Amino acid sequence: MNITRAKGTRDIFYDEMDNFSKIEEEIRKVCMLHNINEIRVPVFEQAELFARGVGDGTDIVTKEMYTFEDRGGRSMTLRPEFTAGVVRAYLENGFASKASPVKLWYNGTAYRYEKMQKGRYREFRQFGVEIFGASSYRAEIEAIVIAKEVLESIGLMNKLKLKINSIGCTECRKKYTEKLREYLKDKIDGMCTDCKNRYEKNIMRIIDCKEDLEIKKSMPMITDNLCEECKNDFENVKSMLDSLNIDYEIDKTIVRGLDYYNKTVFEFVSKDLDLAVGGGGRYDTLVETLGGTPTNAVGFALGLDRIEMLVKDLNKSYKKYVDMYFVVTDDEAFKVAYNLGEKLRKLDIITDIDILDRSFNAQLKYASKINAKNIGIIGENELKAGIITVKNMENSSQVTADLDAKVIKDVIKLLNKKGE
Ligand code: HAM
């Protein structure tokens, strides 16, 4: 029986895993520095949460969800995104009574049955932030800045473009969609099948469809049809981005693929690949849609698989080097080295040791395969003298030292420096 992994899923290991670890380390750091609390929500939820939350006319809900009946006959769905689940958790755990704003971040897998493409998987990873209780444009700024800082910390910002738009509030959107419907009334028959469906169910999505561009040339755009409040908010977002020297582009075609957004929306897009690595915006009606009292909210998610793909292109290595690999000749030497290793680890020295009882040469070969920076040889002579020979594998300098973890840590530092 040849069992292989499911289409659209990945095994992540070695170099790729090192990249993911680095990205996740930076995410944790940036979120901590912005005082955001981590939240973990379930991988599966009641199917209805996403139908109601993400929108039952969206591609995600109509075509892409992994929905199944559990053994109790309930309809469950593997999360296609986190926002709806986080809102459900916000309501179920009474977060509204916590100090406002409530600021949460998450990182985990999400599931969409999509056509396979570069950077598109059926199981993928998302990091995101959701901020509840802030009606001001300041929340959009906080969200954009956090995303930008994560992307910057791993050296990606100059490969990306920040695109922003405003899709208005319920009020201005109502007026706008009437205008759009009127404009498209006698043109829709000549447009693509998806847009025909959207005309009936989700007219805003016609804006970001890449078909029928000729017809769309003079189409009214929501960005030019905002009410005073939405216009002001968008101006504030832009002027704050300017003051922070964050480059952005206004893209009137960004309306986002999920139904819950209003006012500011944004995406981080790869300049070379024209692929979104992240997106988000304001969603002031979702908490109410899911049964809560009206609550302002803003958030975003970044796709870690796509980010890792771009990190790989930078050809930087985030490999963690083994600081010290013990090469031992017998059980007595193993005992001494193992005890020493435990003490070195307490001093944050990454330490490894032969557990296969291999020959001296085989141990040396392994040390170079795992890129050990130093080897610590404990052989017959060293055992007799109560010392260790430490050799730097990069510059070949070597010294003997007492079997004392602190001394060995200093020796390692010294030998590493010699190669600089
Ligand atoms: P989204 O734009 O659907 O937004 O997804 C965010 C990011 O997840 C995308 O920009 C992309 O990088 C990544 N992504 C989406 N689908 C896939 C896939 N099939 N394979 C690989 N990566 C993928 C949301 O999910 C919203 N919940 C974001 C949000 C949070 N808005 C407000 N709060």
Side-chain angles (χ1 to χ4, degrees), residues 162-399:
L162 166 63
K163 294 182 170 189
I164 62 168
N165 192 19
S166 174
I167 56 168
C169 60
T170 323
E171 285 311 305
C172 48
R173 215 160 48 215
K174 210 158 123 197
K175 284 192 195 135
Y176 166 72
T177 47
E178 275 166 23
K179 205 168 169 179
L180 183 60
R181 203 171 290 282
E182 185 57 31
Y183 172 83
L184 292 172
K185 198 171 63 183
D186 51 2
K187 303 179 180 68
I188 194 69
D189 283 346
M191 293 175 76
C192 75
T193 321
D194 279 344
C195 282
K196 278 184 197 138
N197 287 333
R198 288 173 183 142
Y199 187 79
E200 299 304 329
K201 288 190 186 146
N202 196 353
I203 195 160
M204 291 289 285
R205 287 305 306 279
I206 290 182
I207 298 174
D208 71 351
C209 169
K210 304 277 187 287
E211 304 288 320
D212 311 309
L213 293 180
E214 200 50 44
I215 297 179
K216 289 177 187 165
K217 255 187 190 162
S218 39
M219 184 165 79
M221 299 302 268
I222 178 70
T223 332
D224 309 317
N225 286 276
L226 299 174
C227 67
E228 275 314 300
E229 190 192 310
C230 290
K231 219 185 278 173
N232 264 344
D233 277 351
F234 198 44
E235 285 308 315
N236 280 330
V237 169
K238 289 189 281 182
S239 108
M240 189 67 198
L241 290 176
D242 289 337
S243 89
L244 290 163
N245 283 326
I246 297 177
D247 286 335
Y248 60 88
E249 192 182 282
I250 295 166
D251 185 339
K252 294 181 183 178
T253 66
I254 291 186
V255 293
R256 309 279 300 135
L258 305 93
D259 274 358
Y260 45 65
Y261 293 106
N262 62 297
K263 292 192 174 174
T264 313
V265 286
F266 56 91
E267 283 181 357
F268 287 89
V269 181
S270 154
K271 287 180 189 166
D272 303 335
L273 301 174
D274 196 28
L275 186 73
V277 302
R282 180 167 280 284
Y283 54 96
D284 292 327
T285 53
L286 183 59
V287 176
E288 199 181 357
T289 304
L290 294 177
T293 51
T295 305
N296 298 107
V298 175
F300 71 86
L302 302 182
L304 297 199
D305 299 83
R306 294 184 185 177
I307 290 175
E308 196 274 333
M309 188 171 84
L310 297 180
V311 164
K312 214 178 279 160
D313 290 345
L314 295 177
N315 277 330
K316 262 193 204 167
S317 172
Y318 292 114
K319 193 163 203 57
K320 291 232 169 2
Y321 289 97
V322 172
D323 296 313
M324 171 64 113
Y325 184 78
F326 285 112
V327 175
V328 291
T329 44
D330 57 19
D331 279 343
E332 190 50 33
F334 178 80
K335 195 185 284 171
V336 172
Y338 205 94
N339 275 290
L340 199 54
E342 282 296 89
K343 288 182 187 138
L344 282 172
R345 292 186 186 106
K346 288 205 174 97
L347 300 175
D348 291 333
I349 301 290
I350 301 172
T351 305
D352 197 359
I353 187 166
D354 175 61
I355 50 173
L356 296 186
D357 201 6
R358 283 187 282 212
S359 73
F360 190 82
N361 277 343
Q363 290 182 57
L364 287 184
K365 255 193 209 158
Y366 182 75
S368 90
K369 268 193 196 158
I370 60 165
N371 285 326
K373 279 205 164 161
N374 300 281
I375 53 168
I377 303 166
I378 302 185
E380 214 175 300
N381 292 338
E382 281 86 359
L383 269 181
K384 254 189 224 149
I387 55 166
I388 180 170
T389 302
V390 183
K391 180 177 174 183
N392 185 290
M393 298 287 275
E394 281 164 359
N395 56 40
S396 296
S397 47
Q398 87 176 45
V399 288

Side-chain angles (χ1 to χ4, degrees), residues 8 54 60 64 80-84 106 110-115 117-131 256-258 260-261 266-268 275-283 286 297-307:
V54 176
I60 294 179
E64 298 168 1
E81 58 112 46
F82 283 72
T83 313
Y106 50 80
Y111 302 82
R112 295 183 193 173
Y113 193 85
E114 291 199 78
K115 275 212 188 85
Q117 270 179 17
K118 195 175 165 70
R120 188 182 284 171
Y121 299 93
R122 292 182 177 169
E123 179 186 71
F124 57 97
R125 280 134 280 269
Q126 274 191 345
F127 147 67
V129 169
E130 312 293 352
I131 303 171
R256 309 279 300 135
L258 305 93
Y260 45 65
Y261 293 106
F266 56 91
E267 283 181 357
F268 287 89
L275 186 73
V277 302
R282 180 167 280 284
Y283 54 96
L286 183 59
V298 175
F300 71 86
L302 302 182
L304 297 199
D305 299 83
R306 294 184 185 177
I307 290 175

